[in-house]
Amino acid sequence: MKFKLAYLLVFSITFLSAQKEDNNSVIQVEYDIILNDTTDIESFQRAFRHTLVTDGDRSHQTLQSHIDTTLYSKYGHAHSFNSEFINKHNYFKSISNGQVNYGMEYGFHETELITDEWMFVNYKDGIETKKILDYKCKQQFVSFRGRDYEIYYAPELSAYKDGPWKFMGAPGLILEVRSLDNSVLMKATTLYTKTVQKVKNMPDHWMSSLGITYDEFVRRYRLWREEVVKKNKFEDSNIMVIVPYRDFEIYKPYFIDNHKY
């Protein structure tokens, strides 16, 4: 009887250790991320391929390339992309802290690092399900900085409350994101549960940098945008300079939170 009890105890500890190790294993997801916002002349169109490497608590996501595709404006104007390598954007998430640190190669800021303190707290459950990459996914809705979204997450991957771009905090790995205005689509194309990769750490110069907040980034963007328009108007009054303010996020002060989720 003592032998059986000891055996069961050892088996339970082994099982729990294996389960914990499995939950903390690193997975890799490839996403196609498309922005086709043709709301007005100062909108964006983008077609990116992102790679997410996550252990469920922290993750690194990098922009690998454009996607070979053509997007059309509401006026029928074509914008073609090719799959050239363009590793410019890097996102480092701390899931438990709801924090994203990222860098973008724009010339108007004084720092490469932006720290975004944001938690997705307004998820609402939907009733639909769909299969994505052999995972049964559940529907949720959420609002984020100017748009309402439908997302699909995989409950089977509940240890990974992560997702494409800045999305995180759902009850499982987010495999699809679609804005209800149809301007944004983010969809997983491949998923590797067995990988020898490790989650990349932030660069040393970022670790020692205070960086700027997202709100400060928006403020600097607005000032830079105004300076560029003013400068070019002064040099040639016949030229109309366009500096978009609607990206995946609709930058303040243009964004008003009047969404329903």
Side-chain angles (χ1 to χ4, degrees), residues 15-80:
F15 173 76
L16 289 172
S17 299
Q19 191 177 43
K20 183 178 180 182
E21 183 180 349
D22 181 64
N23 285 347
N24 291 332
S25 62
V26 173
I27 63 174
Q28 177 180 322
V29 193
E30 307 285 342
Y31 292 94
D32 282 355
I33 298 183
I34 293 175
L35 171 67
N36 191 23
D37 184 347
T38 61
T39 304
D40 54 42
I41 200 168
E42 295 190 318
S43 304
F44 261 123
Q45 287 178 305
R46 299 186 182 278
F48 292 150
R49 179 157 290 122
H50 278 229
T51 299
L52 172 70
V53 179
T54 179
D55 65 9
D57 181 58
R58 64 189 191 93
S59 64
H60 170 240
Q61 186 173 179
T62 183
L63 166 62
Q64 295 290 353
S65 67
H66 285 301
I67 303 168
D68 282 316
T69 190
T70 300
L71 302 177
Y72 294 90
S73 73
K74 61 183 178 182
Y75 305 108
H77 300 140
H79 186 177
S80 295

Side-chain angles (χ1 to χ4, degrees), residues 2-260:
K2 289 181 180 179
F3 173 79
K4 286 184 178 179
L5 183 61
Y7 174 80
L8 286 172
L9 182 61
V10 170
F11 175 79
S12 299
I13 293 171
T14 304
F15 173 76
L16 289 172
S17 299
Q19 191 177 43
K20 183 178 180 182
E21 183 180 349
D22 181 64
N23 285 347
N24 291 332
S25 62
V26 173
I27 63 174
Q28 177 180 322
V29 193
E30 307 285 342
Y31 292 94
D32 282 355
I33 298 183
I34 293 175
L35 171 67
N36 191 23
D37 184 347
T38 61
T39 304
D40 54 42
I41 200 168
E42 295 190 318
S43 304
F44 261 123
Q45 287 178 305
R46 299 186 182 278
F48 292 150
R49 179 157 290 122
H50 278 229
T51 299
L52 172 70
V53 179
T54 179
D55 65 9
D57 181 58
R58 64 189 191 93
S59 64
H60 170 240
Q61 186 173 179
T62 183
L63 166 62
Q64 295 290 353
S65 67
H66 285 301
I67 303 168
D68 282 316
T69 190
T70 300
L71 302 177
Y72 294 90
S73 73
K74 61 183 178 182
Y75 305 108
H77 300 140
H79 186 177
S80 295
F81 299 87
N82 59 53
S83 57
E84 62 180 338
F85 180 76
I86 49 168
N87 186 9
K88 292 183 178 180
H89 298 57
N90 283 273
Y91 295 81
F92 297 87
K93 290 180 188 170
S94 171
I95 309 300
S96 55
N97 295 328
Q99 185 180 83
V100 185
N101 294 291
Y102 61 103
M104 305 165 67
E105 290 190 358
Y106 290 136
F108 56 83
H109 354 166
E110 299 168 4
T111 175
E112 293 179 313
L113 174 64
I114 302 170
T115 298
D116 197 357
E117 301 279 355
W118 183 266
M119 284 292 288
F120 288 87
V121 295
N122 59 339
Y123 286 111
K124 302 294 182 184
D125 289 333
I127 60 173
E128 301 296 328
T129 61
K130 68 161 66 174
K131 209 163 199 180
I132 303 172
L133 299 179
D134 291 328
Y135 290 94
K136 184 179 179 180
C137 296
K138 291 185 177 181
Q139 180 190 51
Q140 283 193 328
F141 296 94
V142 67
S143 294
F144 184 61
R145 290 182 180 153
R147 291 192 175 92
D148 298 319
Y149 292 95
E150 173 192 43
I151 72 161
Y152 282 91
Y153 69 93
E156 188 178 339
L157 299 172
S158 61
Y160 304 92
K161 295 176 174 57
D162 209 336
W165 187 54
K166 293 184 178 181
F167 283 93
M168 58 180 165
L173 183 67
I174 298 172
L175 297 182
E176 184 174 307
V177 176
R178 181 187 65 86
S179 65
L180 300 190
D181 64 3
N182 292 313
S183 60
V184 177
L185 178 63
M186 306 178 181
K187 190 166 185 177
T189 56
T190 55
L191 192 156
Y192 305 97
T193 55
K194 294 182 179 179
T195 174
V196 297
Q197 289 202 60
K198 294 182 179 179
V199 179
K200 187 176 178 180
N201 293 320
M202 284 202 302
D204 290 340
H205 67 281
W206 280 12
M207 296 288 284
S208 60
S209 170
L210 293 176
I212 59 173
T213 64
Y214 174 78
D215 286 342
E216 176 63 13
F217 157 74
V218 171
R219 187 187 73 82
R220 294 189 190 187
Y221 185 91
R222 178 176 56 81
L223 292 175
W224 173 80
R225 180 175 178 270
E226 290 171 358
E227 287 173 8
V228 170
V229 172
K230 184 178 178 180
K231 178 177 181 293
N232 283 274
K233 266 189 175 181
F234 176 77
E235 291 177 353
D236 190 339
S237 59
N238 295 316
I239 294 177
M240 183 171 66
V241 179
I242 302 302
V243 183
Y245 64 86
R246 299 172 61 89
D247 205 309
F248 291 105
E249 294 152 310
I250 301 173
Y251 300 138
K252 297 175 182 176
Y254 309 97
F255 162 49
I256 300 173
D257 190 0
N258 57 1
H259 297 266
K260 57 185 178 180

